């Protein structure tokens, strides 16, 4: 595994610190660990660009830790250019930025071209290349850490009314009704494109990996609506890890052997974090489940002792939510075996007939 630079090590330490402090504090906060004030999903101010799920998680945790009124962030240089400089002694939060500035030939690793050269290729020629992902670490600051509240009070107030806390946004019955409609529509898309969801009469939500079915109690069986929504999200995240989807270690049987206890505990962490990000998308606070609260000490210890675990968590959270996003946008998430069979058939149809002679002889 590639050795991390000192900057990368400090970034990972900051991410781990934010996450472990939030998980630890949840024990004394009735399970709440993220977005207790109901702020909206993190964005880059003022253009409103959204960020990746794991970046959103880290930014929101930093915003919570500093008591900021929104999840709106900006770069130091951009804030200064707007006349809203970052206040003295303020510390930023790391932001992981990925770009694809180079492309390499799939059949010749020595054939590397620039992003500009790749853009000029025909669609057919582009298929011969794949992007080389490059990670950069930038530092962002919440708008509450800048002079914006004093330099442009009107813009600051407007930003809070749009993206701030439940109180700042004036959340009421109308918004609550819209939220319920949004959640119901989301669940239907998951049923149509990701996984079968059935009502469970036992009152215990669970995902059956063998049947690939989520069993979810009725909404009225939960004490609070938010609990119902997050439990739904946890189970949906688990379904993305099925061996025919993302095949996460904690969800896969190998040669008839169940996943290790460590893999199962890591899977539970992914479910808690990814479901928390989905709650963040809805402007809702996130809580740990009872099972999650019992595993907090284990997660905190592992995150602190293994410097690469946070990178694996980043990948798992981003990939799980990418699958859910595709399903939400109407894309049917197929089993890998079904996809492989279709791709094989398409390939066979494209091959010259003489490639099939051997098979034809066998058939006769």
């Amino acid at each position: 595994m590639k050795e991390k630079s000192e900057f990368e090590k400090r970034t990972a330490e900051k991410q781990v610190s934010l996450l472990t402090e939030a998980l630890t504090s949840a024990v004394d906060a009735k399970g709440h660990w993220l977005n207790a004030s109901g702020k909206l999903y993190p964005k880059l101010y003022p253009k409103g660009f959204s960020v990746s799920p794991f970046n959103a998680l880290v930014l929101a945790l930093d915003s919570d830790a500093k008591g900021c009124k929104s999840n709106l962030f900006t770069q130091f240089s951009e804030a200064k250019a707007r006349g809203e400089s970052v206040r003295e002694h303020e510390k930023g939060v790391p932001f992981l930025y990925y770009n694809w500035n180079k492309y390499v030939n799939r059949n010749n690793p020595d054939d590397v071209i620039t992003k500009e050269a790749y853009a000029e290729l025909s669609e057919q020629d582009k298929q011969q290349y794949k992007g080389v992902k490059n990670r950069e670490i930038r530092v962002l600051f919440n708008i509450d850490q800048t002079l914006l509240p004093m330099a442009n009070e009107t813009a600051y107030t407007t930003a809070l009314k749009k993206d701030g806390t439940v109180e700042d946004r004036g959340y009421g019955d109308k918004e609550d009704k819209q939220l319920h409609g949004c959640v119901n529509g989301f669940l239907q898309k998951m049923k149509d494109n990701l996984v079968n969801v059935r009502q469970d009469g036992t009152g215990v939500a669970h995902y059956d990996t063998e049947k690939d079915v989520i069993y979810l109690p009725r909404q009225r069986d939960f004490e609070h609506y938010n609990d119902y929504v997050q439990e739904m999200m946890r189970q949906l995240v688990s379904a993305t890890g099925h061996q025919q989807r993302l095949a996460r270690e904690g969800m896969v049987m190998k040669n008839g052997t169940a996943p290790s206890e460590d893999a199962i505990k890591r899977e539970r962490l992914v479910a808690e974090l990814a479901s928390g990000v989905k709650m963040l998308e809805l402007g809702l606070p996130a809580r740990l489940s009872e099972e999650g609260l019992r595993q907090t000490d284990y997660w905190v210890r592992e995150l602190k002792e293994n410097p690469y675990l946070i990178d694996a968590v980043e990948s798992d959270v981003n990939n799980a939510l990418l699958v859910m996003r595709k399903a939400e946008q109407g894309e049917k998430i197929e089993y890998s075996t079904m996809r492989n069979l279709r791709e094989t058939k398409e390939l066979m149809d494209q091959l010259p007939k003489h490639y099939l002679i051997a098979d034809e002889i066998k058939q006769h």
Side-chain angles (χ1 to χ4, degrees):
M1 191 171 291
K2 182 182 178 182
E3 181 68 21
K4 292 184 176 182
S5 68
E6 286 302 315
F7 191 29
E8 288 175 323
K9 289 179 181 178
R10 291 197 297 272
T11 293
E13 289 170 359
K14 179 63 175 179
Q15 294 167 339
V16 168
S17 175
L18 287 169
L19 182 53
T20 54
E21 287 176 12
L23 294 174
T24 301
S25 65
V27 177
D28 297 321
K30 298 182 179 179
H32 286 100
W33 67 278
L34 179 69
N35 197 33
S37 60
K39 293 170 281 192
L40 294 188
Y41 194 83
K43 298 176 184 176
L44 300 184
Y45 179 85
K47 296 182 179 179
F49 294 141
S50 192
V51 301
S52 69
F54 186 77
N55 271 324
L57 174 61
V58 173
L59 294 179
L61 288 172
D62 187 68
S63 174
D64 288 349
K66 292 171 179 170
C68 299
K69 294 185 177 181
S70 77
N71 287 322
L72 297 175
F73 287 79
T74 184
Q75 291 189 65
F76 183 97
S77 58
E78 293 181 353
K80 184 177 181 180
R82 295 193 301 269
E84 307 156 1
S85 296
V86 173
R87 292 187 278 114
E88 193 174 3
H89 305 307
E90 291 289 345
K91 294 183 178 180
V93 60
F95 178 83
L96 305 178
Y97 177 78
Y98 294 93
N99 59 41
W100 286 260
N101 290 329
K102 296 180 180 179
Y103 289 78
V104 61
N105 192 305
R106 296 178 185 274
N107 302 312
N108 180 7
D110 294 326
D111 180 11
V112 180
I113 61 176
T114 64
K115 181 179 180 180
E116 291 72 22
Y118 176 81
E120 295 178 358
L121 296 177
S122 66
E123 289 303 316
Q124 183 176 355
D125 288 340
K126 285 181 179 179
Q127 299 301 317
Q128 301 299 318
Y129 290 83
K130 61 180 179 180
V132 179
K133 185 167 68 172
N134 178 52
R135 184 170 81 164
E136 299 176 7
I137 301 174
R138 302 181 179 181
V139 177
L140 299 184
F141 296 84
N142 192 284
I143 60 171
D144 279 3
Q145 297 177 273
T146 72
L147 297 177
L148 176 63
M150 292 167 279
N152 194 335
E153 185 178 356
T154 299
Y156 178 70
T157 302
T158 300
L160 294 188
K161 286 183 178 180
K162 181 181 178 182
D163 292 286
T165 65
V166 167
E167 184 178 351
D168 288 324
R169 289 185 284 118
Y171 190 93
D173 292 340
K174 176 183 176 182
E175 289 75 17
D176 194 58
K177 185 176 180 180
Q178 291 175 341
L179 171 66
H180 281 65
C182 179
V183 170
N184 291 339
F186 170 82
L187 179 57
Q188 187 58 54
K189 289 176 181 177
M190 296 300 103
K191 291 179 179 179
D192 293 342
N193 300 312
L194 180 63
V195 63
N196 190 4
V197 182
R198 299 177 185 172
Q199 192 173 95
D200 177 75
T202 67
V204 179
H206 62 283
Y207 170 57
D208 188 320
T209 56
E210 292 187 7
K211 296 180 180 178
D212 191 27
V213 175
I214 291 174
Y215 293 92
L216 194 66
R218 297 167 299 182
Q219 179 184 320
R220 66 171 179 262
D221 292 334
F222 291 84
E223 184 176 358
H224 300 291
Y225 180 69
N226 290 359
D227 296 334
Y228 162 75
V229 176
Q230 187 162 12
E231 190 54 53
M232 175 207 306
M233 297 301 182
R234 288 190 191 98
Q235 302 305 323
L236 288 167
V237 172
S238 294
T240 67
H242 189 279
Q243 61 182 355
Q244 294 284 1
R245 296 190 183 97
L246 293 175
R248 287 194 299 273
E249 185 181 356
M251 299 295 297
V252 176
M253 294 280 289
K254 292 184 178 180
N255 301 320
T257 303
S260 67
E261 183 178 351
D262 287 339
I264 292 173
K265 288 180 178 179
R266 174 177 155 184
E267 175 62 30
R268 170 54 59 177
L269 176 61
V270 172
E272 293 287 0
L273 299 186
S275 67
V277 175
K278 291 302 293 183
M279 296 294 280
L280 190 59
E281 285 186 17
L282 296 169
L284 298 175
R287 294 175 61 188
L288 294 180
S289 62
E290 290 299 322
E291 183 180 354
L293 284 170
R294 290 192 292 270
Q295 295 184 14
T296 298
D297 289 343
Y298 172 86
W299 293 333
V300 169
R301 183 178 69 251
E302 290 296 305
L303 285 164
K304 289 182 177 180
E305 292 181 355
N306 183 350
Y308 294 97
L309 179 56
I310 193 69
D311 301 310
V313 169
E314 175 198 355
S315 178
D316 285 343
V317 168
N318 281 341
N319 287 336
L321 294 181
L322 175 60
V323 169
M324 292 173 66
R325 173 64 65 189
K326 288 182 176 181
E328 191 174 359
Q329 293 174 341
E331 182 177 334
K332 190 76 173 178
I333 308 300
E334 299 178 301
Y335 278 114
S336 59
T337 50
M338 294 173 60
R339 184 170 61 251
N340 291 341
L341 285 172
R342 187 187 70 248
E343 291 174 352
T344 299
K345 183 179 183 304
E346 291 175 352
L347 177 61
M348 296 296 285
D349 289 342
Q350 294 171 7
L351 290 174
K353 289 301 180 182
H354 65 268
Y355 277 84
L356 308 179
I357 291 176
D359 287 336
E360 290 173 358
I361 292 175
K362 291 178 183 178
Q363 291 174 8
H364 287 81

